[in-house]
Short mmCIF file of all heavy atoms in Angstrom, two decimals:
data_model
loop_
_atom_site.label_atom_id
_atom_site.label_comp_id
_atom_site.label_asym_id
_atom_site.label_seq_id
_atom_site.Cartn_x
_atom_site.Cartn_y
_atom_site.Cartn_z
N VAL E 10 -8.74 -88.07 -22.96
CA VAL E 10 -8.99 -87.00 -22.01
C VAL E 10 -9.14 -85.67 -22.78
O VAL E 10 -8.29 -85.29 -23.62
CB VAL E 10 -7.79 -86.85 -21.01
CG1 VAL E 10 -7.99 -85.59 -20.07
CG2 VAL E 10 -7.71 -88.16 -20.21
N SER E 11 -10.19 -84.93 -22.47
CA SER E 11 -10.45 -83.67 -23.18
C SER E 11 -9.95 -82.52 -22.28
O SER E 11 -10.32 -82.39 -21.16
CB SER E 11 -12.00 -83.55 -23.42
OG SER E 11 -12.33 -82.30 -23.93
N ILE E 12 -9.09 -81.64 -22.90
CA ILE E 12 -8.54 -80.49 -22.19
C ILE E 12 -9.14 -79.28 -22.82
O ILE E 12 -8.92 -78.98 -24.01
CB ILE E 12 -6.99 -80.47 -22.29
CG1 ILE E 12 -6.40 -81.79 -21.71
CG2 ILE E 12 -6.44 -79.25 -21.59
CD1 ILE E 12 -4.89 -81.90 -21.86
N ASP E 13 -9.77 -78.40 -21.94
CA ASP E 13 -10.31 -77.09 -22.39
C ASP E 13 -9.08 -76.15 -22.43
O ASP E 13 -8.73 -75.67 -21.34
CB ASP E 13 -11.38 -76.67 -21.44
CG ASP E 13 -11.98 -75.38 -21.80
OD1 ASP E 13 -11.59 -74.77 -22.82
OD2 ASP E 13 -12.89 -74.88 -21.03
N ARG E 14 -8.56 -75.91 -23.57
CA ARG E 14 -7.27 -75.20 -23.63
C ARG E 14 -7.25 -73.83 -23.00
O ARG E 14 -6.33 -73.43 -22.29
CB ARG E 14 -6.87 -75.06 -25.10
CG ARG E 14 -5.44 -74.52 -25.26
CD ARG E 14 -5.02 -74.33 -26.77
NE ARG E 14 -4.96 -75.60 -27.46
CZ ARG E 14 -4.63 -75.65 -28.79
NH1 ARG E 14 -4.33 -74.57 -29.41
NH2 ARG E 14 -4.56 -76.85 -29.31
N HIS E 15 -8.26 -73.01 -23.31
CA HIS E 15 -8.28 -71.63 -22.80
C HIS E 15 -9.37 -71.31 -21.74
O HIS E 15 -9.61 -70.22 -21.40
CB HIS E 15 -8.39 -70.67 -23.93
CG HIS E 15 -7.28 -70.71 -24.96
ND1 HIS E 15 -5.92 -70.47 -24.60
CD2 HIS E 15 -7.22 -71.02 -26.25
CE1 HIS E 15 -5.18 -70.61 -25.58
NE2 HIS E 15 -5.91 -70.98 -26.65
N GLY E 16 -10.02 -72.37 -21.28
CA GLY E 16 -11.04 -72.15 -20.29
C GLY E 16 -12.40 -71.65 -20.81
O GLY E 16 -13.31 -71.32 -20.06
N ASN E 17 -12.56 -71.64 -22.14
CA ASN E 17 -13.85 -71.11 -22.70
C ASN E 17 -14.47 -72.14 -23.63
O ASN E 17 -15.48 -71.79 -24.34
CB ASN E 17 -13.56 -69.88 -23.44
CG ASN E 17 -12.52 -69.93 -24.50
OD1 ASN E 17 -12.11 -71.05 -24.89
ND2 ASN E 17 -12.04 -68.78 -25.02
N GLU E 18 -13.91 -73.33 -23.71
CA GLU E 18 -14.48 -74.48 -24.49
C GLU E 18 -14.44 -74.19 -25.97
O GLU E 18 -15.11 -74.90 -26.76
CB GLU E 18 -15.93 -74.80 -24.02
CG GLU E 18 -15.97 -75.30 -22.59
CD GLU E 18 -17.38 -75.78 -22.23
OE1 GLU E 18 -18.31 -75.54 -23.01
OE2 GLU E 18 -17.53 -76.29 -21.13
N LYS E 19 -13.71 -73.18 -26.43
CA LYS E 19 -13.63 -72.91 -27.86
C LYS E 19 -12.62 -73.83 -28.54
O LYS E 19 -12.75 -74.14 -29.76
CB LYS E 19 -13.36 -71.43 -28.10
CG LYS E 19 -14.49 -70.46 -27.73
CD LYS E 19 -14.15 -69.02 -28.12
CE LYS E 19 -15.35 -68.12 -27.78
NZ LYS E 19 -15.00 -66.77 -28.16
N ILE E 20 -11.59 -74.13 -27.79
CA ILE E 20 -10.54 -75.03 -28.34
C ILE E 20 -10.35 -76.21 -27.37
O ILE E 20 -9.98 -75.98 -26.16
CB ILE E 20 -9.19 -74.32 -28.54
CG1 ILE E 20 -9.39 -73.09 -29.46
CG2 ILE E 20 -8.14 -75.25 -29.08
CD1 ILE E 20 -8.11 -72.34 -29.75
N ILE E 21 -10.58 -77.36 -27.80
CA ILE E 21 -10.48 -78.57 -27.00
C ILE E 21 -9.37 -79.47 -27.54
O ILE E 21 -9.34 -79.81 -28.71
CB ILE E 21 -11.78 -79.36 -26.94
CG1 ILE E 21 -12.94 -78.46 -26.34
CG2 ILE E 21 -11.66 -80.61 -26.05
CD1 ILE E 21 -12.77 -78.05 -24.97
N ASP E 22 -8.44 -79.87 -26.69
CA ASP E 22 -7.41 -80.81 -27.01
C ASP E 22 -7.81 -82.19 -26.57
O ASP E 22 -8.20 -82.33 -25.39
CB ASP E 22 -6.08 -80.45 -26.47
CG ASP E 22 -5.52 -79.15 -27.02
OD1 ASP E 22 -5.33 -79.11 -28.27
OD2 ASP E 22 -5.22 -78.23 -26.28
N CYS E 23 -7.81 -83.18 -27.40
CA CYS E 23 -8.21 -84.60 -27.06
C CYS E 23 -6.96 -85.45 -27.05
O CYS E 23 -6.21 -85.59 -28.02
CB CYS E 23 -9.18 -85.10 -28.04
SG CYS E 23 -10.76 -84.22 -28.07
N ILE E 24 -6.61 -85.97 -25.86
CA ILE E 24 -5.37 -86.67 -25.63
C ILE E 24 -5.64 -88.18 -25.42
O ILE E 24 -6.30 -88.51 -24.39
CB ILE E 24 -4.64 -86.05 -24.42
CG1 ILE E 24 -4.52 -84.57 -24.56
CG2 ILE E 24 -3.24 -86.69 -24.30
CD1 ILE E 24 -3.77 -84.07 -25.78
N PRO E 25 -5.18 -89.02 -26.28
CA PRO E 25 -5.31 -90.49 -26.08
C PRO E 25 -4.36 -91.00 -25.07
O PRO E 25 -3.24 -90.62 -24.92
CB PRO E 25 -4.97 -91.08 -27.45
CG PRO E 25 -4.05 -90.05 -28.07
CD PRO E 25 -4.48 -88.72 -27.59
N CYS E 26 -4.91 -91.89 -24.17
CA CYS E 26 -4.10 -92.41 -23.05
C CYS E 26 -4.31 -93.93 -23.01
O CYS E 26 -5.32 -94.45 -23.41
CB CYS E 26 -4.58 -91.83 -21.69
SG CYS E 26 -4.55 -90.04 -21.59
N VAL E 27 -3.27 -94.64 -22.57
CA VAL E 27 -3.33 -96.10 -22.37
C VAL E 27 -2.85 -96.43 -20.96
O VAL E 27 -1.90 -95.88 -20.43
CB VAL E 27 -2.48 -96.77 -23.44
CG1 VAL E 27 -1.03 -96.38 -23.37
CG2 VAL E 27 -2.65 -98.32 -23.33
N LEU E 28 -3.61 -97.31 -20.33
CA LEU E 28 -3.30 -97.80 -18.89
C LEU E 28 -3.24 -99.29 -18.95
O LEU E 28 -4.04 -99.96 -19.60
CB LEU E 28 -4.41 -97.28 -17.99
CG LEU E 28 -4.81 -95.82 -17.95
CD1 LEU E 28 -5.83 -95.48 -19.00
CD2 LEU E 28 -5.36 -95.43 -16.56
N TRP E 29 -2.27 -99.81 -18.13
CA TRP E 29 -2.04 -101.26 -18.07
C TRP E 29 -2.16 -101.79 -16.64
O TRP E 29 -2.00 -101.01 -15.70
CB TRP E 29 -0.61 -101.57 -18.61
CG TRP E 29 -0.45 -101.25 -20.09
CD1 TRP E 29 -0.04 -100.06 -20.63
CD2 TRP E 29 -0.59 -102.20 -21.16
NE1 TRP E 29 0.00 -100.24 -22.02
CE2 TRP E 29 -0.34 -101.49 -22.34
CE3 TRP E 29 -0.99 -103.53 -21.18
CZ2 TRP E 29 -0.41 -102.07 -23.58
CZ3 TRP E 29 -1.11 -104.11 -22.46
CH2 TRP E 29 -0.79 -103.44 -23.58
N SER E 30 -2.38 -103.07 -16.60
CA SER E 30 -2.32 -103.84 -15.36
C SER E 30 -3.17 -103.17 -14.18
O SER E 30 -4.29 -102.89 -14.40
CB SER E 30 -0.86 -104.00 -14.92
OG SER E 30 -0.10 -104.62 -15.90
N ASN E 31 -2.54 -102.96 -12.98
CA ASN E 31 -3.33 -102.49 -11.89
C ASN E 31 -3.87 -101.01 -12.07
O ASN E 31 -4.90 -100.73 -11.62
CB ASN E 31 -2.39 -102.48 -10.61
CG ASN E 31 -2.11 -103.91 -10.16
OD1 ASN E 31 -2.81 -104.83 -10.43
ND2 ASN E 31 -0.92 -104.10 -9.51
N VAL E 32 -3.11 -100.21 -12.84
CA VAL E 32 -3.64 -98.86 -13.14
C VAL E 32 -4.87 -99.02 -14.00
O VAL E 32 -5.83 -98.25 -13.78
CB VAL E 32 -2.52 -98.05 -13.82
CG1 VAL E 32 -3.05 -96.64 -14.13
CG2 VAL E 32 -1.26 -98.02 -13.02
N ALA E 33 -4.83 -99.93 -14.94
CA ALA E 33 -6.00 -100.11 -15.77
C ALA E 33 -7.23 -100.64 -15.01
O ALA E 33 -8.33 -100.17 -15.25
CB ALA E 33 -5.63 -101.12 -16.94
N LYS E 34 -7.00 -101.54 -14.07
CA LYS E 34 -8.10 -102.06 -13.20
C LYS E 34 -8.74 -100.91 -12.46
O LYS E 34 -9.96 -100.90 -12.26
CB LYS E 34 -7.58 -103.15 -12.31
CG LYS E 34 -7.13 -104.42 -13.06
CD LYS E 34 -6.51 -105.41 -12.09
CE LYS E 34 -6.08 -106.67 -12.83
NZ LYS E 34 -5.47 -107.64 -11.89
N SER E 35 -7.92 -99.99 -11.93
CA SER E 35 -8.48 -98.85 -11.16
C SER E 35 -9.28 -97.93 -12.07
O SER E 35 -10.16 -97.20 -11.59
CB SER E 35 -7.35 -98.10 -10.53
OG SER E 35 -6.62 -98.94 -9.65
N ALA E 36 -8.96 -97.91 -13.36
CA ALA E 36 -9.60 -96.98 -14.33
C ALA E 36 -10.89 -97.56 -14.93
O ALA E 36 -11.62 -96.91 -15.66
CB ALA E 36 -8.67 -96.62 -15.41
N ALA E 37 -11.15 -98.81 -14.64
CA ALA E 37 -12.30 -99.48 -15.27
C ALA E 37 -13.65 -98.88 -14.87
O ALA E 37 -14.63 -98.99 -15.62
CB ALA E 37 -12.32 -100.99 -14.87
N PHE E 38 -13.66 -98.15 -13.75
CA PHE E 38 -14.96 -97.55 -13.26
C PHE E 38 -15.15 -96.12 -13.81
O PHE E 38 -16.09 -95.47 -13.55
CB PHE E 38 -15.00 -97.52 -11.79
CG PHE E 38 -13.90 -96.71 -11.14
CD1 PHE E 38 -14.02 -95.40 -10.97
CD2 PHE E 38 -12.73 -97.33 -10.69
CE1 PHE E 38 -12.95 -94.64 -10.41
CE2 PHE E 38 -11.65 -96.59 -10.13
CZ PHE E 38 -11.85 -95.25 -9.92
N LEU E 39 -14.13 -95.54 -14.53
CA LEU E 39 -14.22 -94.20 -15.07
C LEU E 39 -15.32 -94.12 -16.11
O LEU E 39 -15.56 -95.04 -16.84
CB LEU E 39 -12.91 -93.74 -15.63
CG LEU E 39 -11.76 -93.56 -14.65
CD1 LEU E 39 -10.48 -93.25 -15.45
CD2 LEU E 39 -12.10 -92.47 -13.65
N ARG E 40 -15.94 -92.95 -16.17
CA ARG E 40 -17.07 -92.74 -17.12
C ARG E 40 -16.91 -91.36 -17.82
O ARG E 40 -16.20 -90.52 -17.38
CB ARG E 40 -18.41 -92.77 -16.36
CG ARG E 40 -18.72 -94.12 -15.75
CD ARG E 40 -18.97 -95.22 -16.81
NE ARG E 40 -19.31 -96.49 -16.26
CZ ARG E 40 -18.47 -97.45 -15.96
NH1 ARG E 40 -17.11 -97.22 -16.10
NH2 ARG E 40 -18.88 -98.58 -15.43
N ASP E 41 -17.64 -91.24 -18.95
CA ASP E 41 -17.62 -90.04 -19.67
C ASP E 41 -17.94 -88.83 -18.83
O ASP E 41 -18.96 -88.80 -18.07
CB ASP E 41 -18.68 -90.18 -20.78
CG ASP E 41 -18.78 -88.91 -21.67
OD1 ASP E 41 -17.72 -88.38 -22.10
OD2 ASP E 41 -19.91 -88.44 -21.86
N GLY E 42 -17.20 -87.77 -18.85
CA GLY E 42 -17.34 -86.58 -18.10
C GLY E 42 -16.69 -86.48 -16.74
O GLY E 42 -16.66 -85.35 -16.19
N ASP E 43 -16.13 -87.56 -16.30
CA ASP E 43 -15.38 -87.55 -14.99
C ASP E 43 -14.14 -86.63 -15.20
O ASP E 43 -13.40 -86.66 -16.24
CB ASP E 43 -14.89 -88.92 -14.59
CG ASP E 43 -16.05 -89.77 -14.09
OD1 ASP E 43 -17.18 -89.24 -13.81
OD2 ASP E 43 -15.92 -91.00 -13.95
N THR E 44 -13.84 -85.79 -14.17
CA THR E 44 -12.66 -84.91 -14.26
C THR E 44 -11.52 -85.61 -13.54
O THR E 44 -11.65 -86.10 -12.40
CB THR E 44 -12.96 -83.59 -13.56
OG1 THR E 44 -14.10 -82.97 -14.21
CG2 THR E 44 -11.79 -82.62 -13.61
N VAL E 45 -10.31 -85.64 -14.20
CA VAL E 45 -9.18 -86.39 -13.70
C VAL E 45 -7.92 -85.62 -13.88
O VAL E 45 -7.81 -84.75 -14.68
CB VAL E 45 -9.00 -87.74 -14.41
CG1 VAL E 45 -10.28 -88.62 -14.08
CG2 VAL E 45 -8.89 -87.61 -15.89
N THR E 46 -6.92 -85.95 -13.07
CA THR E 46 -5.56 -85.57 -13.28
C THR E 46 -4.73 -86.81 -13.62
O THR E 46 -4.84 -87.77 -12.92
CB THR E 46 -4.94 -84.84 -12.12
OG1 THR E 46 -5.58 -83.61 -11.82
CG2 THR E 46 -3.51 -84.53 -12.32
N ILE E 47 -4.02 -86.78 -14.68
CA ILE E 47 -3.27 -87.98 -15.23
C ILE E 47 -1.84 -87.66 -15.31
O ILE E 47 -1.44 -86.58 -15.81
CB ILE E 47 -3.82 -88.42 -16.58
CG1 ILE E 47 -5.14 -89.19 -16.37
CG2 ILE E 47 -2.84 -89.31 -17.33
CD1 ILE E 47 -5.77 -89.64 -17.59
N CYS E 48 -0.97 -88.57 -14.77
CA CYS E 48 0.43 -88.41 -14.81
C CYS E 48 1.08 -89.68 -15.55
O CYS E 48 0.61 -90.79 -15.28
CB CYS E 48 1.03 -88.35 -13.39
SG CYS E 48 0.41 -86.85 -12.48
N GLY E 49 2.02 -89.41 -16.35
CA GLY E 49 2.66 -90.55 -17.04
C GLY E 49 3.79 -90.05 -17.96
O GLY E 49 4.42 -89.02 -17.65
N ARG E 50 3.98 -90.79 -19.01
CA ARG E 50 5.04 -90.40 -19.98
C ARG E 50 4.43 -90.42 -21.39
O ARG E 50 3.44 -91.18 -21.66
CB ARG E 50 6.21 -91.27 -19.85
CG ARG E 50 5.95 -92.76 -20.20
CD ARG E 50 7.21 -93.65 -20.13
NE ARG E 50 6.86 -95.01 -20.45
CZ ARG E 50 6.84 -95.50 -21.70
NH1 ARG E 50 7.05 -94.68 -22.70
NH2 ARG E 50 6.57 -96.75 -21.86
N MET E 51 5.02 -89.72 -22.28
CA MET E 51 4.55 -89.73 -23.67
C MET E 51 5.30 -90.83 -24.44
O MET E 51 6.56 -90.92 -24.32
CB MET E 51 4.82 -88.36 -24.32
CG MET E 51 3.95 -88.02 -25.49
SD MET E 51 4.01 -86.26 -25.86
CE MET E 51 3.02 -86.26 -27.37
N GLN E 52 4.61 -91.63 -25.15
CA GLN E 52 5.21 -92.73 -25.83
C GLN E 52 4.78 -92.73 -27.32
O GLN E 52 3.77 -92.17 -27.72
CB GLN E 52 4.91 -94.07 -25.22
CG GLN E 52 3.49 -94.52 -25.41
CD GLN E 52 3.22 -95.91 -24.77
OE1 GLN E 52 4.05 -96.45 -24.02
NE2 GLN E 52 2.17 -96.52 -25.19
N SER E 53 5.58 -93.37 -28.16
CA SER E 53 5.19 -93.58 -29.52
C SER E 53 5.14 -95.09 -29.80
O SER E 53 5.83 -95.85 -29.15
CB SER E 53 6.26 -92.96 -30.47
OG SER E 53 7.52 -93.56 -30.28
N ARG E 54 4.22 -95.48 -30.68
CA ARG E 54 4.17 -96.87 -31.05
C ARG E 54 3.79 -96.85 -32.52
O ARG E 54 3.17 -96.02 -33.09
CB ARG E 54 3.05 -97.54 -30.21
CG ARG E 54 1.67 -97.09 -30.37
CD ARG E 54 0.66 -97.87 -29.56
NE ARG E 54 -0.67 -97.28 -29.61
CZ ARG E 54 -1.53 -97.57 -30.56
NH1 ARG E 54 -1.24 -98.42 -31.56
NH2 ARG E 54 -2.73 -96.99 -30.54
#
């Protein structure tokens, strides 16, 4: 997910996300450029 940090596209934060099971099935139709709100937790692996 690409976040436009200051609203001027000069600084972009790219955030890796992982989805499992039913949430993943719902995300299978997402495409490049779709705008989304994502909720979850931060994890380390």
Side-chain angles (χ1 to χ4, degrees):
V10 176
S11 175
I12 302 174
D13 181 2
R14 186 183 296 182
H15 298 300
N17 55 16
E18 297 185 353
K19 290 185 178 180
I20 302 180
I21 301 296
D22 293 304
C23 296
I24 311 300
C26 303
V27 59
L28 305 86
W29 293 88
S30 303
N31 291 334
V32 182
K34 293 176 183 179
S35 300
F38 61 85
L39 292 175
R40 297 293 182 268
D41 177 49
D43 288 345
T44 302
V45 296
T46 297
I47 282 180
C48 298
R50 63 178 179 84
M51 203 164 175
Q52 71 175 16
S53 61
R54 61 178 176 86

